[in-house]
Amino acid sequence: MVEPKRYTPHLLYQRRQKEHLREQWHNFKLVVDWTVWLYLLIPGLLYFIGWYTSLWTKTLPAWTASLPLPLLTGIIELIILTGGVLLFVEEADVLFLKSRTAWMRTLMMRGLWRVTVLQLGKMMLIIALAAPLLVRVYEMSLLQIVLTCIWLGTAASSQVIAIRMLKVRYTGWRRGLLMILLVIAMAWTTVRTSTWMLEGPDTWKIMLSIAAVLLLLMMLIQMSLRMRGTFEGDVREDLRSRLRLTALMLSQAVSKPKAPQTRTIIFRKPRKLFRKRSIPNRTAEIAFKAFFRNSETLKLFLQLGSLSIAAVALPPFPVNVIVCGLLVIMLTVMLYRGWDVLAASEYVQLVTYDSDALHKAGSIMVRMLLLPLAVLMGYVMGLFWLGWLAGFLTAACTAAFGYVVVSAAGWIRQTRA
């Protein structure tokens, strides 16, 4: 007879890890529409490949030459702080595994080494994306880039393990205060050390930093394994980490119920935006305030604005100009659709409007929302393309183009009505 396979803590860890990955994959398939993503992913991937290749083959933008190294490492540090630790410890383990020190120690050791590998892989991806800057701006060799990747991966692992230790040990206001102090200290240390070892850069500095942070990582792992009385905290943080991706996906698919607000954040006082109190001006003023008082439309507007600014800043000329023009047209159409929702609402239907006045109010509202964003897009495009002084000229040109697009779209809508 074949003896049954002996169940070990390693097999338990592998089973829980596979179940977690399977659960995340099922949740991902429920939320994501693969047809839509296929149309978005393929053009986006082709554009990214072309853009990344241009960073190696073409002249870098002017702003990269003056990009301070602490700013680059500070951005990487923000990415590091988004990581977490998953030990695959469950509530039912208190009945059996808590009394089995070897089993619990194995689970925790596997989880800590897993996060080390994941953080190292994340840093490899980030360094690969920043490699054109590291080679062409900071003049780093391939060996120095590899060592920097190891340094950042080890530092990231140390930070997420230290944050995990603090979360499972403390609760309430103490945890919040200590978290703030710990994050500030770790971020300052990482940025200062990275700047010190990459100025030059010197290989011996990078190797010395790797040795120091490796000792710190091993010390933190040993401290995590020896902590006592933190089982409930480990379970709580594991559950929070496992549900993080699911909560993020569901937040995009299911609207979260909100408590009714008695006062709005923006436009609390009934101040007038127009001196001339005509019917189109007053209607456009009401629509403009209602747009910003709605948290959902305000959030969508800020997200689209941020993406639009990034989209006109990254591509080279003349792609950036084409992208800017298309974004202005797209935002105009989107804002006019938002106006249609308000124009068909019960509040507007209570008042008898002249059709010309209603169309004019819609054009005023769209113009008020679009032009500030168009000015900002134009200035950022000019800043990354020609310099800060020429950015004012591109901002004026973009604003003029936005004004023309809004007027033309309003005229087309009025003739079709």
Coordinates of all heavy atoms in Angstrom, one line a residue, residues 9 17 21 23 89 108 131 161 174 199 278 303 306 367 385 387 414:
P9 N 3.9 21.8 7.5 CA 3.6 23.2 7.5 C 3.9 23.8 6.1 O 3.2 24.8 5.7 CB 4.5 23.8 8.6 CG 5.5 22.7 8.9 CD 4.8 21.4 8.6
Q17 N -1.7 29.5 0.0 CA -1.3 30.5 -1.0 C -2.0 30.3 -2.3 O -2.5 31.2 -2.9 CB 0.2 30.4 -1.2 CG 0.8 31.4 -2.2 CD 2.3 31.3 -2.3 OE1 3.0 32.3 -2.2 NE2 2.8 30.1 -2.5
L21 N -4.6 32.9 -4.2 CA -4.4 33.3 -5.6 C -5.7 33.0 -6.4 O -6.1 33.8 -7.2 CB -3.2 32.7 -6.2 CG -1.8 33.1 -5.6 CD1 -0.7 32.3 -6.2 CD2 -1.6 34.6 -5.8
E23 N -8.7 32.7 -5.3 CA -9.8 33.6 -4.9 C -9.7 35.0 -5.5 O -10.6 35.6 -6.0 CB -9.8 33.7 -3.4 CG -10.9 34.6 -2.8 CD -10.8 34.8 -1.3 OE1 -10.0 34.1 -0.7 OE2 -11.6 35.5 -0.8
V89 N -2.1 33.4 8.0 CA -2.5 33.0 9.3 C -4.0 33.2 9.4 O -4.5 34.3 9.1 CB -1.8 33.7 10.5 CG1 -2.2 33.2 11.8 CG2 -0.3 33.5 10.3
M108 N 5.1 31.7 9.3 CA 5.6 33.1 9.4 C 6.9 33.3 8.6 O 7.0 34.3 7.9 CB 5.8 33.5 10.8 CG 4.5 33.6 11.6 SD 4.7 34.2 13.3 CE 5.1 35.9 13.0
A131 N 15.6 52.8 -15.7 CA 16.9 52.6 -16.2 C 17.4 53.6 -17.2 O 18.6 54.0 -17.2 CB 17.0 51.2 -16.9
I161 N 8.1 45.0 6.7 CA 8.1 44.1 7.9 C 8.0 44.9 9.1 O 7.3 44.6 10.1 CB 9.3 43.2 7.8 CG1 9.2 42.2 6.7 CG2 9.5 42.5 9.2 CD1 10.4 41.3 6.5
R174 N -2.2 55.2 19.5 CA -0.7 54.9 19.6 C -0.2 54.4 18.3 O 0.9 54.8 17.9 CB -0.5 53.9 20.7 CG -0.8 54.5 22.1 CD -0.4 53.4 23.2 NE -0.7 54.0 24.5 CZ -0.5 53.3 25.6 NH1 -0.1 52.0 25.5 NH2 -0.8 53.8 26.8
E199 N 25.2 59.4 -5.6 CA 26.0 60.6 -6.1 C 27.4 60.2 -6.4 O 28.2 59.8 -5.6 CB 26.0 61.7 -4.9 CG 24.7 62.4 -4.8 CD 24.8 63.5 -3.7 OE1 25.8 63.4 -2.9 OE2 23.9 64.3 -3.6
S278 N -28.4 87.2 -15.8 CA -29.3 86.8 -16.8 C -29.7 85.3 -16.5 O -29.1 84.6 -15.7 CB -28.7 86.9 -18.2 OG -27.5 86.1 -18.2
Q303 N -9.9 62.9 -11.5 CA -9.1 61.7 -12.0 C -8.8 61.9 -13.5 O -7.7 61.7 -13.9 CB -9.9 60.5 -11.8 CG -10.0 60.0 -10.4 CD -10.9 58.8 -10.2 OE1 -11.7 58.4 -11.1 NE2 -10.8 58.1 -9.0
S306 N -6.2 64.7 -13.9 CA -4.8 64.2 -13.6 C -4.3 63.3 -14.7 O -3.1 63.5 -15.1 CB -4.8 63.4 -12.3 OG -5.3 64.2 -11.2
R367 N -17.8 75.6 -20.6 CA -16.6 76.5 -20.7 C -15.9 76.8 -19.3 O -14.7 76.8 -19.2 CB -17.0 77.8 -21.4 CG -15.8 78.6 -21.9 CD -16.3 79.9 -22.6 NE -17.2 79.5 -23.8 CZ -18.4 79.9 -23.9 NH1 -19.0 80.7 -23.0 NH2 -19.1 79.6 -25.0
W385 N 7.9 70.3 -22.8 CA 8.3 70.3 -24.2 C 9.3 71.4 -24.5 O 10.4 71.1 -25.1 CB 7.1 70.4 -25.1 CG 7.3 70.5 -26.5 CD1 8.4 70.1 -27.2 CD2 6.5 71.1 -27.5 NE1 8.3 70.4 -28.6 CE2 7.1 71.1 -28.7 CE3 5.2 71.8 -27.3 CZ2 6.5 71.6 -29.9 CZ3 4.6 72.3 -28.5 CH2 5.3 72.2 -29.7
G387 N 9.9 74.4 -22.2 CA 10.4 75.1 -21.0 C 9.3 75.9 -20.3 O 8.2 76.0 -20.8
Q414 N -27.1 72.7 -30.8 CA -28.3 73.6 -31.0 C -28.9 73.4 -32.3 O -30.2 73.4 -32.4 CB -27.9 75.1 -30.8 CG -29.0 76.0 -30.7 CD -28.6 77.4 -30.4 OE1 -27.4 77.7 -30.3 NE2 -29.6 78.3 -30.1

